[in-house]
Coordinates of all heavy atoms in Angstrom, one line a residue:
M1 N 0.9 -1.2 0.0 CA 0.0 0.0 0.0 C 0.9 1.2 0.0 O 1.8 1.3 0.8 CB -0.9 0.0 1.2 CG -1.9 1.1 1.3 SD -3.1 1.0 0.0 CE -3.9 2.7 0.1
V2 N 0.7 2.1 -1.0 CA 1.4 3.3 -1.1 C 0.9 4.4 -0.3 O -0.3 4.7 -0.4 CB 1.6 3.7 -2.6 CG1 2.3 4.9 -2.8 CG2 2.3 2.6 -3.4
T3 N 1.8 5.1 0.3 CA 1.3 6.4 1.0 C 1.6 7.6 0.2 O 2.8 7.9 0.1 CB 1.9 6.5 2.4 OG1 1.6 5.2 3.1 CG2 1.3 7.6 3.2
Y4 N 0.7 8.2 -0.3 CA 0.9 9.4 -1.1 C 1.1 10.6 -0.2 O 0.5 10.6 0.9 CB -0.2 9.7 -2.2 CG -0.2 8.7 -3.2 CD1 -1.0 7.6 -3.3 CD2 0.7 8.8 -4.3 CE1 -1.0 6.6 -4.3 CE2 0.8 7.9 -5.3 CZ -0.1 6.8 -5.3 OH 0.0 5.8 -6.3
P5 N 1.8 11.6 -0.6 CA 2.1 12.8 0.3 C 0.9 13.7 0.3 O 0.0 13.7 -0.7 CB 3.3 13.4 -0.4 CG 3.1 13.1 -1.8 CD 2.5 11.7 -1.9
D6 N 0.8 14.5 1.3 CA -0.1 15.7 1.3 C 0.7 16.7 0.5 O 1.8 17.1 0.7 CB -0.2 16.2 2.7 CG -1.2 17.4 2.8 OD1 -1.3 18.1 1.8 OD2 -1.9 17.5 3.8
I7 N 0.1 17.2 -0.7 CA 0.8 18.1 -1.6 C 1.4 19.3 -0.8 O 2.4 19.8 -1.2 CB -0.2 18.5 -2.7 CG1 0.2 18.1 -4.1 CG2 -0.3 20.0 -2.8 CD1 1.1 17.0 -4.5
G8 N 0.7 19.7 0.2 CA 1.2 20.9 1.0 C 2.5 20.6 1.7 O 3.2 21.5 2.2
D9 N 2.9 19.4 1.9 CA 4.1 19.0 2.6 C 5.3 18.8 1.7 O 6.4 18.4 2.1 CB 3.8 17.7 3.4 CG 2.9 17.9 4.5 OD1 2.7 19.0 5.0 OD2 2.3 16.9 5.0
T10 N 5.1 18.9 0.4 CA 6.1 18.7 -0.6 C 6.6 20.0 -1.2 O 5.9 21.0 -1.3 CB 5.6 17.8 -1.7 OG1 4.6 18.4 -2.5 CG2 5.0 16.5 -1.1
N11 N 7.9 19.9 -1.7 CA 8.4 21.0 -2.6 C 8.7 20.5 -3.9 O 9.2 21.3 -4.7 CB 9.6 21.7 -1.8 CG 10.7 20.7 -1.6 OD1 10.7 19.7 -2.2 ND2 11.6 21.1 -0.7
Y12 N 8.4 19.3 -4.2 CA 8.5 18.8 -5.6 C 7.6 17.6 -5.7 O 7.5 16.8 -4.8 CB 10.0 18.3 -5.8 CG 10.2 17.7 -7.2 CD1 10.6 18.6 -8.2 CD2 10.0 16.4 -7.5 CE1 10.8 18.2 -9.5 CE2 10.2 15.9 -8.7 CZ 10.6 16.8 -9.8 OH 10.8 16.3 -11.0
F13 N 6.9 17.6 -6.8 CA 6.0 16.5 -7.2 C 5.9 16.3 -8.6 O 5.6 17.3 -9.4 CB 4.6 16.7 -6.5 CG 3.7 15.5 -6.7 CD1 3.6 14.6 -5.7 CD2 3.0 15.3 -7.8 CE1 2.8 13.4 -5.8 CE2 2.1 14.2 -8.0 CZ 2.1 13.2 -7.0
T14 N 6.0 15.1 -9.1 CA 5.8 14.9 -10.6 C 5.2 13.5 -10.8 O 5.4 12.6 -10.0 CB 7.1 15.1 -11.4 OG1 6.8 15.2 -12.8 CG2 8.1 13.9 -11.2
N15 N 4.5 13.5 -11.8 CA 3.8 12.2 -12.2 C 3.9 12.1 -13.7 O 3.3 12.9 -14.4 CB 2.3 12.3 -11.8 CG 1.5 11.0 -12.0 OD1 2.0 10.1 -12.6 ND2 0.4 11.0 -11.4
R16 N 4.7 11.2 -14.2 CA 5.1 11.1 -15.6 C 4.9 9.7 -16.2 O 5.0 8.7 -15.5 CB 6.5 11.5 -15.9 CG 7.0 12.7 -15.2 CD 6.7 13.9 -16.1 NE 7.2 15.1 -15.5 CZ 8.5 15.6 -15.8 NH1 9.2 15.0 -16.7 NH2 8.9 16.7 -15.2
A17 N 4.6 9.7 -17.5 CA 4.6 8.4 -18.2 C 6.1 8.2 -18.6 O 6.8 9.1 -18.9 CB 3.7 8.4 -19.4
L18 N 6.5 6.9 -18.6 CA 7.9 6.6 -19.0 C 7.8 5.7 -20.2 O 7.1 4.7 -20.3 CB 8.6 5.9 -17.9 CG 9.0 6.7 -16.7 CD1 9.7 5.8 -15.6 CD2 9.9 7.9 -16.9
E19 N 8.6 6.1 -21.2 CA 8.7 5.3 -22.4 C 9.8 4.2 -22.3 O 10.9 4.5 -21.8 CB 8.9 6.2 -23.6 CG 7.8 7.1 -23.9 CD 8.1 7.9 -25.2 OE1 9.2 7.7 -25.8 OE2 7.2 8.7 -25.7
N20 N 9.6 3.1 -23.0 CA 10.7 2.2 -23.1 C 11.5 2.5 -24.4 O 11.2 3.5 -25.0 CB 10.2 0.7 -23.1 CG 9.3 0.4 -24.2 OD1 9.2 1.2 -25.3 ND2 8.5 -0.6 -24.2
K21 N 12.5 1.7 -24.6 CA 13.4 2.0 -25.8 C 12.6 2.0 -27.1 O 13.1 2.5 -28.1 CB 14.6 1.1 -25.8 CG 15.5 1.3 -24.7 CD 16.8 0.5 -24.8 CE 17.7 0.8 -23.6 NZ 17.4 0.0 -22.5
A22 N 11.5 1.3 -27.2 CA 10.7 1.2 -28.4 C 9.7 2.3 -28.5 O 8.9 2.4 -29.5 CB 9.9 -0.1 -28.4
G23 N 9.7 3.3 -27.5 CA 8.9 4.4 -27.5 C 7.5 4.1 -27.0 O 6.6 5.0 -27.3
E24 N 7.3 3.0 -26.4 CA 5.9 2.7 -25.8 C 5.8 3.2 -24.4 O 6.7 2.9 -23.6 CB 5.7 1.2 -25.9 CG 5.8 0.6 -27.3 CD 5.9 -0.9 -27.3 OE1 6.7 -1.4 -26.5 OE2 5.1 -1.5 -28.0
K25 N 4.7 3.9 -24.1 CA 4.6 4.4 -22.7 C 4.0 3.3 -21.8 O 2.9 3.3 -21.5 CB 3.7 5.6 -22.8 CG 4.4 6.8 -23.3 CD 3.6 8.1 -23.3 CE 4.4 9.3 -23.8 NZ 3.6 10.5 -23.9
K26 N 4.9 2.4 -21.4 CA 4.4 1.3 -20.6 C 4.7 1.5 -19.1 O 4.3 0.7 -18.3 CB 5.1 0.1 -21.1 CG 4.6 -0.5 -22.4 CD 5.1 -1.9 -22.7 CE 4.4 -2.5 -23.9 NZ 4.9 -3.8 -24.2
G27 N 5.5 2.5 -18.8 CA 5.8 2.7 -17.4 C 5.4 4.1 -16.9 O 4.8 4.9 -17.7
K28 N 5.6 4.3 -15.7 CA 5.3 5.6 -15.1 C 6.1 5.9 -13.8 O 6.7 4.9 -13.3 CB 3.8 5.7 -14.7 CG 3.4 4.8 -13.7 CD 1.9 4.9 -13.3 CE 1.5 3.9 -12.3 NZ 0.0 4.1 -11.9
I29 N 6.2 7.1 -13.5 CA 7.0 7.4 -12.3 C 6.2 8.5 -11.5 O 5.7 9.5 -12.2 CB 8.4 7.9 -12.5 CG1 9.1 8.1 -11.2 CG2 8.4 9.1 -13.4 CD1 10.6 8.2 -11.3
I30 N 6.1 8.3 -10.3 CA 5.5 9.3 -9.4 C 6.6 9.6 -8.4 O 7.2 8.7 -7.8 CB 4.3 8.8 -8.6 CG1 3.2 8.4 -9.6 CG2 3.7 9.9 -7.7 CD1 2.0 7.6 -9.0
M31 N 7.0 10.9 -8.4 CA 8.2 11.2 -7.5 C 7.9 12.5 -6.7 O 7.3 13.4 -7.3 CB 9.4 11.4 -8.4 CG 10.7 11.5 -7.7 SD 12.1 11.3 -8.8 CE 12.4 12.9 -9.3
W32 N 8.3 12.5 -5.5 CA 8.1 13.7 -4.7 C 9.1 13.9 -3.6 O 9.8 12.9 -3.3 CB 6.7 13.7 -4.1 CG 6.5 12.8 -3.0 CD1 6.7 13.0 -1.7 CD2 6.0 11.5 -3.2 NE1 6.3 11.9 -0.9 CE2 6.0 10.9 -1.8 CE3 5.6 10.6 -4.2 CZ2 5.5 9.6 -1.6 CZ3 5.2 9.3 -4.0 CH2 5.1 8.8 -2.7
R33 N 9.3 15.1 -3.2 CA 10.2 15.3 -2.0 C 9.4 16.1 -1.0 O 8.8 17.2 -1.3 CB 11.4 16.0 -2.5 CG 12.4 16.2 -1.4 CD 13.7 16.8 -1.9 NE 13.5 18.1 -2.5 CZ 14.4 18.8 -3.2 NH1 15.6 18.3 -3.5 NH2 14.1 19.9 -3.8
N34 N 9.5 15.7 0.2 CA 8.9 16.4 1.3 C 9.7 17.6 1.7 O 10.9 17.5 1.7 CB 8.6 15.5 2.5 CG 7.5 14.4 2.2 OD1 6.6 14.7 1.6 ND2 7.7 13.2 2.8
K35 N 9.1 18.6 2.2 CA 9.9 19.8 2.7 C 10.8 19.3 3.8 O 10.4 18.6 4.7 CB 8.9 20.8 3.2 CG 8.1 21.5 2.1 CD 7.0 22.4 2.7 CE 6.2 23.1 1.6 NZ 5.1 23.8 2.1
G36 N 12.0 19.9 3.7 CA 13.0 19.6 4.8 C 13.8 18.3 4.6 O 14.6 18.0 5.3
E37 N 13.4 17.5 3.5 CA 14.2 16.2 3.3 C 15.0 16.3 2.0 O 14.8 17.1 1.1 CB 13.1 15.1 3.1 CG 12.3 14.8 4.3 CD 11.5 13.5 4.1 OE1 11.5 12.9 3.0 OE2 10.8 13.1 5.0
E38 N 16.1 15.6 2.1 CA 17.1 15.6 1.0 C 16.7 14.6 -0.1 O 16.9 14.7 -1.3 CB 18.5 15.2 1.5 CG 19.1 16.3 2.4 CD 19.5 17.6 1.5 OE1 20.0 17.4 0.4 OE2 19.2 18.7 2.0
E39 N 16.1 13.4 0.3 CA 15.8 12.4 -0.6 C 14.4 12.5 -1.2 O 13.5 12.9 -0.5 CB 15.9 11.0 0.1 CG 17.3 10.7 0.5 CD 17.4 9.2 1.2 OE1 16.6 8.9 2.1 OE2 18.3 8.5 0.8
F40 N 14.3 12.0 -2.4 CA 13.1 11.9 -3.1 C 12.4 10.6 -2.9 O 13.2 9.6 -2.8 CB 13.3 12.1 -4.6 CG 13.7 13.5 -5.0 CD1 15.0 13.8 -5.0 CD2 12.8 14.3 -5.5 CE1 15.5 15.1 -5.3 CE2 13.1 15.6 -5.8 CZ 14.5 16.0 -5.8
H41 N 11.2 10.6 -2.7 CA 10.4 9.3 -2.6 C 10.0 9.0 -4.1 O 9.6 9.9 -4.8 CB 9.2 9.5 -1.8 CG 9.5 9.8 -0.4 ND1 9.1 9.0 0.7 CD2 10.0 10.9 0.1 CE1 9.5 9.6 1.8 NE2 10.0 10.8 1.5
M42 N 10.1 7.8 -4.5 CA 9.5 7.5 -5.9 C 8.9 6.1 -6.0 O 9.2 5.2 -5.2 CB 10.7 7.6 -6.9 CG 11.7 6.5 -6.9 SD 12.9 6.7 -8.1 CE 13.9 8.0 -7.4
I43 N 7.9 6.1 -6.9 CA 7.3 4.8 -7.2 C 7.4 4.8 -8.7 O 6.8 5.5 -9.5 CB 5.8 4.8 -6.8 CG1 5.7 5.1 -5.3 CG2 5.2 3.5 -7.2 CD1 4.3 5.5 -4.9
L44 N 8.4 3.9 -9.1 CA 8.7 3.9 -10.6 C 8.3 2.5 -11.1 O 8.7 1.5 -10.7 CB 10.3 4.1 -10.6 CG 10.9 4.2 -12.0 CD1 12.3 4.8 -11.8 CD2 11.0 3.0 -12.9
T45 N 7.4 2.6 -12.1 CA 7.0 1.3 -12.8 C 7.9 1.3 -14.1 O 7.7 2.2 -15.0 CB 5.6 1.3 -13.2 OG1 4.8 1.5 -12.0 CG2 5.2 0.0 -13.8
C46 N 8.8 0.4 -14.1 CA 9.8 0.4 -15.2 C 9.1 -0.1 -16.6 O 8.4 -1.2 -16.6 CB 10.9 -0.6 -14.9 SG 12.2 -0.8 -16.2
P47 N 9.2 0.8 -17.6 CA 8.6 0.4 -18.9 C 9.4 -0.7 -19.6 O 8.9 -1.3 -20.6 CB 8.7 1.7 -19.6 CG 9.9 2.4 -19.1 CD 10.0 2.1 -17.7
E48 N 10.6 -1.0 -19.2 CA 11.4 -2.1 -19.8 C 11.1 -3.4 -19.2 O 10.9 -4.4 -20.0 CB 12.9 -1.7 -19.6 CG 13.4 -0.4 -20.2 CD 13.4 -0.4 -21.7 OE1 13.2 -1.5 -22.4 OE2 13.5 0.7 -22.3
C49 N 11.1 -3.6 -17.9 CA 10.9 -4.8 -17.3 C 9.6 -5.0 -16.5 O 9.3 -6.1 -16.1 CB 12.1 -5.2 -16.5 SG 12.2 -4.2 -15.0
G50 N 8.9 -3.9 -16.3 CA 7.6 -4.0 -15.6 C 7.8 -4.0 -14.0 O 6.8 -4.0 -13.3
E51 N 9.0 -4.0 -13.5 CA 9.2 -4.0 -12.1 C 8.7 -2.6 -11.5 O 8.9 -1.6 -12.1 CB 10.7 -4.2 -11.8 CG 11.1 -4.2 -10.4 CD 10.8 -5.5 -9.7 OE1 10.5 -6.5 -10.5 OE2 10.9 -5.6 -8.5
V52 N 8.1 -2.8 -10.3 CA 7.7 -1.5 -9.6 C 8.8 -1.3 -8.5 O 9.0 -2.1 -7.6 CB 6.3 -1.7 -8.9 CG1 6.0 -0.4 -8.2 CG2 5.3 -1.9 -10.0
N53 N 9.5 -0.2 -8.6 CA 10.5 0.2 -7.7 C 9.9 1.2 -6.8 O 9.5 2.3 -7.2 CB 11.7 0.9 -8.3 CG 12.4 0.0 -9.3 OD1 13.5 -0.5 -9.0 ND2 11.9 -0.3 -10.5
E54 N 9.8 1.0 -5.5 CA 9.4 1.9 -4.5 C 10.5 2.2 -3.6 O 11.0 1.3 -2.9 CB 8.2 1.4 -3.8 CG 7.6 2.5 -2.9 CD 6.3 2.1 -2.2 OE1 5.7 1.0 -2.5 OE2 5.9 2.8 -1.3
K55 N 11.1 3.4 -3.7 CA 12.3 3.7 -2.9 C 12.5 5.2 -2.7 O 11.8 6.0 -3.2 CB 13.5 3.1 -3.7 CG 13.7 3.7 -5.1 CD 14.9 3.1 -5.8 CE 15.0 3.6 -7.2 NZ 16.2 3.2 -7.9
K56 N 13.6 5.4 -1.9 CA 14.0 6.8 -1.7 C 15.4 6.9 -2.4 O 16.2 6.0 -2.4 CB 14.2 7.1 -0.3 CG 12.9 7.2 0.5 CD 13.1 7.7 1.9 CE 11.9 7.8 2.7 NZ 12.2 8.3 4.1
Q57 N 15.6 8.1 -3.0 CA 16.9 8.3 -3.7 C 17.1 9.8 -3.6 O 16.2 10.6 -3.8 CB 16.8 7.8 -5.1 CG 18.2 7.7 -5.8 CD 18.1 7.0 -7.1 OE1 17.1 6.4 -7.5 NE2 19.2 7.0 -7.8
A58 N 18.4 10.2 -3.5 CA 18.8 11.6 -3.5 C 19.5 11.9 -4.8 O 20.2 11.0 -5.4 CB 19.8 11.9 -2.3
F59 N 19.2 13.1 -5.4 CA 19.8 13.5 -6.6 C 20.5 14.8 -6.4 O 19.9 15.7 -5.8 CB 18.7 13.7 -7.7 CG 17.9 12.4 -8.1 CD1 16.7 12.3 -7.6 CD2 18.6 11.4 -8.8 CE1 16.0 11.1 -7.9 CE2 17.9 10.2 -9.1 CZ 16.6 10.1 -8.6
E60 N 21.7 14.9 -6.9 CA 22.4 16.2 -6.5 C 22.0 17.3 -7.4 O 22.1 18.5 -7.0 CB 23.9 15.9 -6.7 CG 24.5 15.0 -5.6 CD 26.0 14.9 -5.6 OE1 26.6 15.5 -6.5 OE2 26.5 14.1 -4.8
K61 N 21.7 17.0 -8.7 CA 21.3 18.1 -9.6 C 20.4 17.6 -10.6 O 20.2 16.4 -10.9 CB 22.5 18.7 -10.2 CG 23.3 17.7 -11.0 CD 24.6 18.3 -11.5 CE 25.5 17.2 -12.3 NZ 26.7 17.8 -12.8
K62 N 19.8 18.6 -11.3 CA 18.8 18.3 -12.4 C 19.6 18.1 -13.6 O 20.7 18.7 -13.8 CB 17.8 19.5 -12.5 CG 16.9 19.6 -11.4 CD 15.9 20.8 -11.6 CE 14.9 20.9 -10.5 NZ 14.0 22.0 -10.7
P63 N 19.1 17.4 -14.6 CA 17.8 16.6 -14.6 C 18.0 15.4 -13.7 O 19.1 14.8 -13.6 CB 17.5 16.2 -16.0 CG 18.9 16.2 -16.6 CD 19.7 17.2 -16.0
Y64 N 17.0 15.0 -12.9 CA 17.0 13.9 -12.1 C 17.1 12.6 -13.0 O 16.4 12.5 -14.0 CB 15.8 13.8 -11.2 CG 15.7 15.1 -10.4 CD1 14.5 15.8 -10.3 CD2 16.8 15.7 -9.7 CE1 14.4 16.9 -9.6 CE2 16.7 16.8 -9.0 CZ 15.5 17.5 -8.9 OH 15.4 18.6 -8.2
R65 N 17.8 11.6 -12.6 CA 18.0 10.4 -13.3 C 17.7 9.2 -12.5 O 18.7 8.5 -12.1 CB 19.4 10.3 -13.9 CG 19.7 11.5 -14.9 CD 21.1 11.5 -15.3 NE 21.6 12.6 -16.1 CZ 21.4 12.7 -17.4 NH1 21.0 11.8 -18.1 NH2 21.8 13.9 -18.0
P66 N 16.5 8.9 -12.2 CA 16.2 7.7 -11.5 C 16.5 6.4 -12.3 O 16.6 6.5 -13.6 CB 14.8 7.8 -11.2 CG 14.2 8.6 -12.3 CD 15.3 9.6 -12.6
N67 N 16.7 5.3 -11.7 CA 16.9 4.1 -12.4 C 16.1 3.0 -11.8 O 15.6 3.0 -10.8 CB 18.4 3.7 -12.3 CG 18.8 3.4 -10.9 OD1 19.0 4.2 -10.1 ND2 19.0 2.0 -10.6
C68 N 16.0 1.9 -12.6 CA 15.3 0.7 -12.2 C 16.3 -0.2 -11.5 O 17.3 -0.6 -12.1 CB 14.7 0.0 -13.4 SG 14.0 -1.6 -13.0
D69 N 16.0 -0.6 -10.3 CA 16.9 -1.5 -9.6 C 16.9 -2.9 -10.2 O 17.9 -3.7 -10.0 CB 16.5 -1.6 -8.1 CG 16.9 -0.3 -7.4 OD1 17.8 0.4 -7.9 OD2 16.2 0.0 -6.4
S70 N 15.9 -3.2 -10.9 CA 15.8 -4.6 -11.4 C 16.6 -4.9 -12.6 O 17.3 -5.8 -12.7 CB 14.3 -4.9 -11.6 OG 14.1 -6.3 -12.1
C71 N 16.4 -3.9 -13.7 CA 17.1 -4.2 -15.0 C 18.2 -3.1 -15.2 O 18.9 -3.2 -16.2 CB 16.1 -4.2 -16.1 SG 15.3 -2.7 -16.5
G72 N 18.2 -2.1 -14.4 CA 19.3 -1.1 -14.6 C 18.9 0.0 -15.5 O 19.8 1.0 -15.8
A73 N 17.7 0.0 -16.1 CA 17.4 1.1 -17.0 C 17.3 2.4 -16.3 O 17.0 2.5 -15.2 CB 16.0 0.8 -17.6
K74 N 17.8 3.4 -17.0 CA 17.8 4.8 -16.5 C 16.9 5.7 -17.2 O 16.7 5.6 -18.4 CB 19.2 5.4 -16.5 CG 20.2 4.7 -15.6 CD 21.5 5.5 -15.6 CE 22.5 4.9 -14.6 NZ 23.8 5.5 -14.6
F75 N 16.3 6.7 -16.5 CA 15.4 7.5 -17.0 C 15.7 9.0 -16.7 O 16.2 9.2 -15.6 CB 14.0 7.2 -16.5 CG 13.6 5.8 -16.7 CD1 13.8 4.9 -15.6 CD2 13.2 5.3 -17.9 CE1 13.6 3.6 -15.8 CE2 13.0 3.9 -18.1 CZ 13.1 3.0 -17.0
V76 N 15.4 9.9 -17.5 CA 15.7 11.3 -17.3 C 14.4 12.0 -17.1 O 13.5 11.9 -17.9 CB 16.4 11.9 -18.4 CG1 16.7 13.4 -18.2 CG2 17.8 11.2 -18.7
I77 N 14.3 12.7 -15.9 CA 13.2 13.5 -15.6 C 13.4 14.9 -16.1 O 13.9 15.7 -15.3 CB 12.8 13.5 -14.1 CG1 12.7 12.0 -13.6 CG2 11.5 14.2 -13.9 CD1 11.6 11.2 -14.3
A78 N 13.2 15.1 -17.4 CA 13.5 16.4 -17.9 C 12.4 17.4 -17.6 O 11.3 17.0 -17.3 CB 13.6 16.3 -19.5
K79 N 12.8 18.7 -17.6 CA 11.8 19.7 -17.4 C 10.8 19.6 -18.5 O 11.1 19.4 -19.7 CB 12.4 21.1 -17.4 CG 13.1 21.4 -16.2 CD 13.6 22.9 -16.2 CE 14.3 23.2 -14.9 NZ 14.7 24.6 -14.9
L80 N 9.5 19.8 -18.2 CA 8.5 19.7 -19.2 C 8.6 20.7 -20.3 O 8.4 20.5 -21.5 CB 7.1 19.9 -18.6 CG 6.7 18.8 -17.7 CD1 5.4 19.1 -16.9 CD2 6.5 17.5 -18.4
K81 N 9.0 21.9 -20.0 CA 9.3 23.0 -21.0 C 10.4 22.6 -21.9 O 10.3 22.8 -23.1 CB 9.6 24.3 -20.4 CG 8.3 25.0 -19.7 CD 8.7 26.3 -19.2 CE 7.4 27.0 -18.5 NZ 7.8 28.2 -17.8
A82 N 11.4 22.0 -21.4 CA 12.5 21.6 -22.2 C 12.1 20.5 -23.2 O 12.6 20.4 -24.3 CB 13.7 21.0 -21.3
D83 N 11.2 19.6 -22.7 CA 10.7 18.6 -23.6 C 10.0 19.2 -24.9 O 10.2 18.7 -26.0 CB 9.6 17.8 -22.9 CG 10.3 16.8 -21.9 OD1 11.5 16.6 -22.0 OD2 9.5 16.3 -21.1
K84 N 9.3 20.3 -24.7 CA 8.6 20.9 -25.8 C 9.6 21.6 -26.8 O 9.4 21.5 -28.0 CB 7.6 22.0 -25.4 CG 6.4 21.3 -24.7 CD 5.4 22.4 -24.3 CE 4.2 21.8 -23.5 NZ 3.4 22.8 -22.9
K85 N 10.7 22.1 -26.3 CA 11.6 22.8 -27.2 C 12.3 21.8 -28.1 O 12.6 22.1 -29.2 CB 12.7 23.5 -26.3 CG 12.2 24.8 -25.8 CD 13.4 25.4 -25.0 CE 12.9 26.8 -24.3 NZ 13.9 27.3 -23.4
K86 N 12.5 20.6 -27.6 CA 13.2 19.6 -28.4 C 12.3 19.2 -29.7 O 12.9 18.8 -30.7 CB 13.6 18.3 -27.6 CG 14.7 18.5 -26.7 CD 14.9 17.3 -25.8 CE 15.9 17.5 -24.8 NZ 16.0 16.4 -23.8
K87 N 11.1 19.2 -29.5 CA 10.2 18.8 -30.5 C 9.8 19.8 -31.6 O 10.5 20.6 -32.0 CB 8.9 18.2 -29.9 CG 9.1 16.9 -29.3 CD 7.9 16.5 -28.5 CE 8.2 15.2 -27.7 NZ 7.1 14.9 -26.8
Ligands
LIG101 ZN1 13.4 -2.4 -15.1

C-alpha cells in the first residue's frame, strides 16, 4: 500500500509516463520530495521490465535520473518545457 504525500508537505511532485526504448509508454513514475528532506520518494514502474521500484533516492542536480533497480534502465526526468523545445 502506497502512502501518497499531502501536496502541501512537498516542494517537488511529478507524475510522468515513462517510455521504453521502443517508444511505448508502458511505465510511469511518481516522484516527490517532502519539505526539509534531501531524498526523493519515488514509485517507478519500469517500462522495460515492468518492475515496480518503490524507494528513496537523492539527486544532486537536475535533470534527475532515477533508475530501475531490477534491470538497470535509467530515465531522465527532464523539465516539461525543455521537452517541448526539443520537438
Ligand atoms: Zn526495469
Side-chain angles (χ1 to χ4, degrees):
M1 183 67 193
V2 174
T3 305
Y4 291 99
D6 182 329
I7 241 25
D9 292 336
T10 66
N11 57 19
Y12 182 88
F13 185 93
T14 194
N15 186 349
R16 309 277 184 93
L18 292 177
E19 291 184 359
N20 62 16
K21 292 188 178 84
E24 300 167 312
K25 289 186 177 177
K26 289 190 170 180
K28 64 178 179 179
I29 184 167
I30 301 169
M31 189 165 93
W32 69 90
R33 184 173 59 192
N34 290 327
K35 290 175 183 173
E37 290 187 5
E38 292 290 318
E39 291 185 314
F40 291 84
H41 299 244
M42 73 178 77
I43 302 160
L44 188 166
T45 302
C46 180
E48 301 290 350
C49 72
E51 181 77 12
V52 178
N53 297 257
E54 188 176 346
K55 58 180 178 174
K56 288 185 179 181
Q57 191 169 355
F59 300 104
E60 292 190 359
K61 59 186 177 181
K62 293 181 180 179
Y64 306 131
R65 298 173 188 273
N67 67 284
C68 172
D69 287 337
S70 181
C71 71
K74 288 187 179 177
F75 309 98
V76 178
I77 308 298
K79 284 187 177 179
L80 292 174
K81 285 182 181 175
D83 285 345
K84 286 181 183 172
K85 280 181 185 172
K86 284 178 190 170
K87 287 172 186 171

